[in-house]
Amino acid sequence: MSTTHEPTAKPPGANVLVVGRSPSALVTAVDILRKTGYTANATNQFDRVLTDYDAGGVDILVFGGMVPPDIKQHVRDELTRLNPEARVIQGLFGIPELIAAQVAAATCPPLPEGDEVAYDADHRCVRLTIHESADVRVEVWWATSFTPPEPTSVSERVYEKTLDPGAHVIPIPHHVPEEASFGAVTVGQSVQVFTIGPVPDSVRRLVPTSAEDKRLPDVTAVTTRIDES
């Protein structure tokens, strides 16, 4: 089953740049973000991020997991120097809808004062307390293949209901695996993203240690432009 997460309204002028590796994940994430009102671009040309894009105009920078740490640090330092208000997000996995959900979580309104939402990892459930009725949605994503440069995944909307005020528990279905799995809970206009199962160590060991580390095969170049037709 597949769903597309719909990010909530963004602050005026929010500009998103996704720096990652997987061509299809980058292009699809940009498509989702643009369709839901964000100004969004993406690139896997790590050595050209700061020349191809106006770093000072970026409000939200998302890094993919396969971006070398020295590239991350250099781009982060320059971007935050030019725009101290910029948000930097570490992407959880190369799933386009998950990337969009993380952006939504960074830009959505906060929960009303006194409301609480949290993922209980020990019991694999979402726990929430709300003081007014609210529309609640829980979506999950998990990897089905880790083969670079195009990992595959599935998604599922596991819960959607208008809840009354009070405390509620929403279990995560048993078929959602214990590794490389993630979720997002939307309460009204507020979004929170959480990890259900961590990315395996075997995948983490694939991350290049520097820009000169060529342990991964070359990929199709992606450099999107906002004025593309």
Side-chain angles (χ1 to χ4, degrees):
M1 288 176 283
S2 179
T3 61
T4 298
H5 187 94
E6 298 177 357
T8 54
K10 67 180 181 63
N15 188 328
V16 182
L17 177 61
V18 184
V19 180
R21 191 166 185 278
S22 168
S24 65
L26 293 173
V27 171
T28 305
V30 164
D31 184 57
I32 294 171
L33 290 165
R34 288 181 181 178
K35 286 180 177 178
T36 49
Y38 292 89
T39 299
N41 278 306
T43 182
N44 58 12
Q45 302 302 288
F46 301 151
D47 60 338
R48 296 189 56 84
V49 174
L50 296 174
T51 56
D52 287 343
Y53 300 98
D54 174 17
V58 174
D59 301 303
I60 302 170
L61 174 66
V62 184
F63 282 122
M66 292 298 163
V67 181
D70 56 343
I71 295 291
K72 287 183 185 179
Q73 190 64 54
H74 177 59
V75 174
R76 179 197 299 263
D77 288 349
E78 184 65 9
L79 183 143
T80 54
R81 180 183 70 82
L82 295 170
N83 182 6
E85 301 300 318
R87 296 283 302 275
V88 180
I89 300 172
Q90 176 57 58
L92 295 173
F93 198 76
I95 300 174
E97 296 87 353
L98 176 59
I99 295 169
Q102 288 192 259
V103 172
T107 59
C108 70
L111 286 168
E113 185 174 357
D115 286 6
E116 296 181 354
V117 176
Y119 176 63
D120 182 342
D122 291 337
H123 298 91
R124 277 178 53 106
C125 66
V126 174
R127 299 185 183 275
L128 64 154
T129 300
I130 54 178
H131 292 82
E132 296 183 2
S133 65
D135 294 332
V136 176
R137 181 173 72 246
V138 178
E139 296 166 86
V140 295
W141 302 269
W142 65 91
T144 54
S145 169
F146 301 107
T147 304
E150 301 287 8
T152 58
S153 62
V154 296
S155 61
E156 184 177 341
R157 185 168 295 184
V158 299
Y159 190 87
E160 188 167 21
K161 187 176 180 180
T162 300
L163 294 180
D164 294 328
H168 303 272
V169 177
I170 303 172
I172 300 299
H174 294 296
H175 63 266
V176 178
E178 296 283 355
E179 66 176 19
S181 50
F182 313 90
V185 54
T186 302
V187 180
Q189 294 296 304
S190 177
V191 181
Q192 294 191 35
V193 177
F194 54 91
T195 296
I196 300 169
V199 175
D201 289 341
S202 59
V203 176
R204 295 185 183 279
R205 286 194 290 269
L206 295 175
V207 179
T209 58
S210 70
E212 289 72 35
D213 186 338
K214 303 301 182 183
R215 70 181 66 189
L216 294 173
D218 292 337
V219 296
T220 302
V222 172
T223 305
T224 70
R225 300 294 185 189
I226 198 61
D227 57 356
E228 293 166 331
S229 59

